[in-house]
Structures are given as C-alpha cells and as structure tokens.
Amino acid sequence: MKRKVFDLRLWPRVARGTHTVTHIPGFVIVDFTAHEVVSTKDVPFGERTIRILDQGYRWVRVHPTGGGEGVMGDAQTVMLNPSGGPEQLYVDIHAGEGLGEDGLPWHDDLYLDVIADWQPGWRVTETHVIDADELEEAVQIGQVTPELAEAAWAHARKVEEELRAGTYGPLGVLRRYLEDPYT
C-alpha cells in the first residue's frame, strides 16, 4: 500500500490554482480549482474518453475523518468542468485514513477505484471499478495480502451498488457542499 495525501497545490500539471479546506462533522472537504494548466488530463471512461483537468476545472474531495488507520473505507473526488458540470466522480478504496498535522486528508491506497457518471438530479448512470491490475500487482509483490485484496473488491462493489441505488452517503455531503459550500 502507499499512503497518499490529497494536496494538489504543487501538482506539476497545474501552474496556478486555488485550494481551500473545509472541516465539517465527519468529513474534510478539499476544494481545488486549476486556473492555469500546464498539461490537461483525459482518461478512459467505459467506451469513451473524458477530460477531467483543464483550465477552470475544479476537483472537490470529500474525505471521511472517522475511520483511522487499518479501517476499510473510501473517499470521493468529483471533477467539475469550468461551468460546474460534473465530468467524473472518483472514489478511492482504502485501508485507513486520517488527517495530517496540516489538516489535509491522507489514505492508505488499496489501488482499486470506482468511477461514476451521473445525470441531472444526482442519479448515477454508469460505474466502473478500475485499477484492478495495480491491486493484483501489489498482491503479487507482497504489498497487499490476498485477504485485504478480497476485502477491497467487496468494498468497491458495495460502493458501486450504493452509487447506483442513490444511497452513497458521501455523495449527499458533496451535493450539499456544491449547493451551499458551508461558508
């Protein structure tokens, strides 16, 4: 596993951006807007390719704060285009999370991610679990146990089901934040 901190301030793809951190009960929200982009980012999504980073794009991370080390969980990021329309929802599956001394969220990455697309009204229309090859490689080299990999798959499938059913709790937190950013 690798520990990742959600901090895009020094991201080489972005020459200039703004970054805010908002703490609410049970979550920390990191809101990053890319004002000047050095390198755009396009990613596959099912049968198509979507742009998730360009000038004016905004990445909003909703990260839980109650899990702690060694607790299976997830954290979501939405990529919004300059007009505020969602391009992709990205959910990291992890084996522990918390906040650093700087107040930024970290997680122990389990490689699997769930990506989702949705229509107006926050209805998820398509999901995919990605990066299974990275998890398999981590198992093969002993960074992740087979049991932990199996638990990661079960958690990813649960997140997919909740997204499709409209019951994924952090999506509601994200929606409330985007509609009224806890100011």
Side-chain angles (χ1 to χ4, degrees):
M1 281 185 291
K2 53 188 170 182
R3 181 159 288 181
K4 291 184 174 179
V5 176
F6 192 79
D7 185 357
L8 300 176
R9 293 175 293 180
L10 299 177
W11 195 10
R13 288 182 175 272
V14 178
R16 188 174 56 84
T18 55
H19 163 100
T20 61
V21 178
T22 304
H23 294 268
I24 62 171
F27 297 90
V28 62
I29 298 171
V30 181
D31 194 337
F32 178 82
T33 302
H35 300 294
E36 186 178 334
V37 173
V38 175
S39 176
T40 61
K41 185 168 179 73
D42 297 329
V43 297
F45 187 92
E47 298 295 318
R48 64 190 193 277
T49 298
I50 59 172
R51 175 145 299 170
I52 61 169
L53 178 67
D54 206 339
Q55 294 192 167
Y57 275 57
R58 185 173 166 201
W59 287 33
V60 181
R61 172 77 159 199
V62 175
H63 198 99
T65 58
E69 284 194 56
V71 176
M72 182 69 62
D74 53 80
Q76 73 176 350
T77 305
V78 65
M79 292 81 169
L80 303 165
N81 63 34
S83 62
E87 294 297 331
Q88 178 176 278
L89 178 71
Y90 188 97
V91 180
D92 288 291
I93 306 300
H94 64 70
E97 47 90 48
L99 295 177
E101 290 181 12
D102 56 4
L104 293 174
W106 59 264
H107 70 273
D108 292 331
D109 191 30
L110 279 174
Y111 307 98
L112 289 183
D113 305 296
V114 178
I115 56 175
D117 190 14
W118 66 80
Q119 298 298 314
W122 296 80
R123 188 177 58 81
V124 169
T125 56
E126 184 178 351
T127 62
H128 301 277
V129 177
I130 61 170
D131 298 334
D133 56 333
E134 292 180 24
L135 177 58
E136 182 59 33
E137 182 180 327
V139 170
Q140 289 176 357
I141 63 174
Q143 289 180 333
V144 174
T145 66
E147 295 79 17
L148 188 53
E150 186 177 313
W153 270 107
H155 194 79
R157 288 183 190 107
K158 177 180 176 266
V159 167
E160 268 193 304
E161 288 172 21
E162 290 177 358
L163 284 167
R164 288 188 198 132
T167 60
Y168 182 65
L171 191 55
V173 173
L174 173 67
R175 182 179 183 178
R176 284 189 301 279
Y177 174 77
L178 292 174
E179 291 172 354
D180 183 20
Y182 300 98
T183 54

